[in-house]
Amino acid sequence: MKKIALIMDGWKRFFSYAWPSGILQRMRETKEEVNLYIFNSTSEWSMDEDYNIGEYNIYNLPDFKEFDGIVVDLNNIRNEKVRVQVIDAVRKSKKPAISINHDVEGFYYAGIDNYVAMQEIIEHLYEKHHCRSFWFVMGPTDNYENNIRACSLRAFLERHKIAYDEEDFYFESYEYQCGYNGFVSLLERNGNVPDAIVCANDNIAVGVCEAAAKKGYRIPNDFCVTGFDNFDKAGFYTPQISTLGHLREEVGYCCADIMLKIWERKQVPKFNYTKIEGVYSESCGCAYNEKKDIRKYMKEQMMCEIEMNCLEENILVLEKELLDCKSVGEMANLIPKCIPSFQCDGIYLIMDEHINDFKRKTTDCTYHLMDNQNFLIHGYPRYMNVEFAYEEGKTISYEDQKIDSLFPFFEHEKGGTDFLFMPLHFRKHTVGYFVIRNAIYLMEKQYLFKVVNVLTSAMENLYEKEKLEYINGILEDMSIKDCVTGLYNRLGYQRLAYTLFHEKKQEKKNLLIMFLDMDRLKYINDKYGHEYGDIAIKIVAKAILKFCYENALPIRMGGDEFLIIEPVKNGEEINKKIEHMRKEITYLAKEKQLPFPLSFSIGCIVTDMNMDKELDDYIREADEVMYEEKYRKKVNRTE
């Protein structure tokens, strides 16, 4: 089974489903055993650079050496550093690589010939409509295709000795607003309109037409306008936009064809161009193009609106139900339930194991308290948890399963299968990735961005809630714990001991009350200093903790007084516990090389829950027993 990796960045929040659709179509036609792995970010739309870092990190997930071929679409990746990193990683793999609509040294090129395409458009305006003056409203200056189109236009002007100024070119984006802004800006600068305005795409062309109409101009009476790409809006806008068409799926189809020839060791040219077709209509003065079926288009728009309304309702349900989830796994379970129209074969949630640190209260939690330090910014952890899996309509249990690479977990025995990988992150901190098996329908319908965004937001809210609970737990713990020994303090005693006593009294279960008092702490402090006194206190506390039962309450009542409240054992066990604590203290004192002997006096009382006595009564009794032992030691002491 061969594997192709496809690297893409969505146009704003939209997925470029045409490339994978074309690749899969060709592979299924040939019945080749090939699967497609799509690594998609959606960083283009956001102005938050930290968010974009988290999105782009998905490109660090695949090890390209594990694939048989790689296809990259770099045109929407605005970050030059990321583009270079992707190219370098692909080159290091030494696998055959294809670049879509972008010339990269060492890669095959698949896509339209932007230079020739733009020459055809301006040639049409020049020859058919006798245009001799032009403005150009173009896309972003850091976009490869846009720059090739601009170079083509300049070359045409120079070849035909048409005077122009660089300020006749307006560069901004591929959006409607670019066309609107571009027309207003160029009109303010020049005063008079040219014979034609050439636009980098149809969105821009519509923006130019709208701005011109508001200024009182009529198209094409006052000047011609052309677009590029033959989007639906070009055919259904009034006036109908003259444009240049190409089937985007053909580019993906071409990529697959190139890869098949390479695997068969056939000769493949560097540049592989797909077909383009001029579609000339009203905006340049040509006749209305009747190829567009308005009723079919309206039906599609209507159905799309119905589907999107349904999606929005499902998203609202999903957002509400996510609020009640107690774990990431619970959240993932809601996705197929709330979005029944997914029409995919599998959903997987792969997470950094640190996502559950605060829930588990692991020792790593404290690192998370400062800016999510345990989550990576670049790359992914060596091992990740399969938090959720949904296959063929059923939830599959992969409890505690860890994976250390994409394969063999995401292998599939059936050729023509695609896997879509999308990043999950809390701004720049990566927490995992989301995988859809056979996701072309979802990519075409543009459901995924909203679903993944809602899921990620819910996960981050849950994580922050668990973090806050953990911090509050630490603060609570600090308030009821003694900072020197780690035992409960008097506040802890007041909050916990009485509750425990009354619970056990209702259950008629007795408790053991042990009251300890260190021997001669004042003497140690006075003769050896408080530093030694603190060491002695810590040693006693350590011995108490070592031999307490798990559900005991070990308490430091004051300077040299300690209290242990725990489930009662038989008398023999009590005596053993006391003996173990004495030996442990002696051993630790010797280990610390203390210049004095260390011991304690103790009083033990077992409660009788059938009697009408309170906790304070038993503690007084234990204190009296302890004092009797301490008095005997004092009488017998020679020093």
Side-chain angles (χ1 to χ4, degrees), residues 431-474:
V431 297
Y433 55 92
F434 193 58
V435 187
I436 306 285
R437 175 154 59 89
N438 288 336
I440 300 300
Y441 174 83
L442 285 171
M443 295 175 73
E444 181 181 359
K445 295 299 182 182
Q446 305 298 342
Y447 289 167
L448 284 174
F449 177 81
K450 287 188 176 183
V451 174
V452 174
N453 193 47
V454 166
L455 176 64
T456 305
S457 296
M459 284 195 298
E460 187 167 10
N461 289 338
L462 176 64
Y463 179 78
E464 291 299 326
K465 178 183 174 184
E466 289 171 351
K467 182 193 230 179
L468 182 60
E469 289 174 354
Y470 177 78
I471 293 171
N472 287 336
I474 290 176

Side-chain angles (χ1 to χ4, degrees), residues 86-350:
V86 170
I87 292 169
D88 287 347
V90 173
R91 282 179 178 150
K92 287 176 183 176
S93 74
K94 301 188 183 304
K95 300 295 182 178
I98 302 168
S99 175
I100 293 176
N101 290 321
H102 194 116
D103 183 15
V104 179
E105 185 179 349
F107 291 24
Y108 295 94
Y109 177 101
I112 64 171
D113 188 333
N114 282 282
Y115 191 95
V116 170
M118 195 55 90
Q119 288 275 313
E120 178 177 322
I121 288 176
I122 194 168
E123 185 83 40
H124 174 81
L125 293 169
Y126 184 84
E127 295 291 348
K128 180 75 181 287
H129 301 291
H130 310 291
C131 296
R132 295 296 184 268
S133 60
F134 300 89
W135 291 346
F136 308 97
V137 186
M138 310 301 292
T141 55
D142 57 356
N143 181 271
Y144 174 85
E145 288 188 279
N146 183 70
N147 290 334
I148 295 296
R149 293 173 192 178
C151 287
S152 175
L153 293 167
R154 291 189 187 97
F156 181 90
L157 297 172
E158 290 165 6
R159 188 168 68 251
H160 289 82
K161 296 182 172 51
I162 298 173
Y164 76 96
D165 191 303
E166 274 300 318
E167 292 190 358
D168 292 332
F169 285 82
Y170 179 89
F171 295 91
E172 185 180 321
S173 70
Y174 279 130
E175 300 302 318
Y176 162 89
Q177 201 61 43
C178 168
Y180 196 99
N181 296 341
F183 179 80
V184 171
S185 176
L186 291 167
L187 184 64
E188 286 177 356
R189 176 182 176 273
N190 294 288
N192 297 319
V193 295
D195 295 334
I197 298 179
V198 179
C199 301
N201 74 355
D202 298 334
N203 290 332
I204 296 171
V206 169
V208 167
C209 291
E210 286 293 303
K214 288 191 177 180
K215 295 289 185 180
Y217 293 98
R218 294 177 301 160
I219 297 168
N221 301 45
D222 295 315
F223 57 90
C224 300
V225 175
T226 60
F228 200 106
D229 287 327
N230 197 22
F231 295 151
D232 283 339
K233 57 173 61 70
F236 295 109
Y237 185 74
T238 300
Q240 194 176 51
I241 302 296
S242 293
T243 185
L244 188 136
H246 55 99
L247 287 176
R248 291 163 61 81
E249 285 81 0
E250 283 188 4
V251 177
Y253 191 96
C254 178
C255 289
D257 212 43
I258 294 169
M259 206 64 76
L260 289 169
K261 290 174 182 176
I262 293 170
W263 292 336
E264 294 169 4
R265 301 185 184 279
K266 293 180 179 179
Q267 285 293 109
V268 180
K270 157 76 174 178
F271 291 96
N272 302 267
Y273 296 121
T274 54
K275 291 182 292 186
I276 55 175
E277 179 187 7
V279 183
Y280 300 110
S281 188
E282 296 172 319
S283 71
C284 73
C286 289
Y288 176 74
N289 189 322
E290 296 182 356
K291 289 183 180 179
K292 297 287 186 180
D293 185 341
I294 186 67
R295 294 182 67 181
K296 180 182 176 183
Y297 176 74
M298 291 303 296
K299 178 182 177 182
E300 289 173 353
Q301 292 298 106
M302 186 187 306
M303 295 311 299
C304 180
E305 183 179 350
I306 290 169
E307 288 178 355
M308 290 308 295
N309 286 339
C310 181
L311 172 67
E312 293 290 347
E313 290 178 9
N314 285 333
I315 290 289
L316 289 173
V317 172
L318 181 61
E319 284 183 305
K320 178 183 179 299
E321 296 198 9
L322 286 172
L323 293 173
D324 299 325
C325 290
K326 301 295 188 294
S327 70
V328 171
E330 284 183 30
M331 290 178 174
N333 268 303
L334 291 175
I335 295 174
K337 173 187 170 186
C338 290
I339 316 293
S341 50
F342 259 30
Q343 296 187 27
C344 63
D345 295 336
I347 301 172
Y348 308 87
L349 193 62
I350 313 299

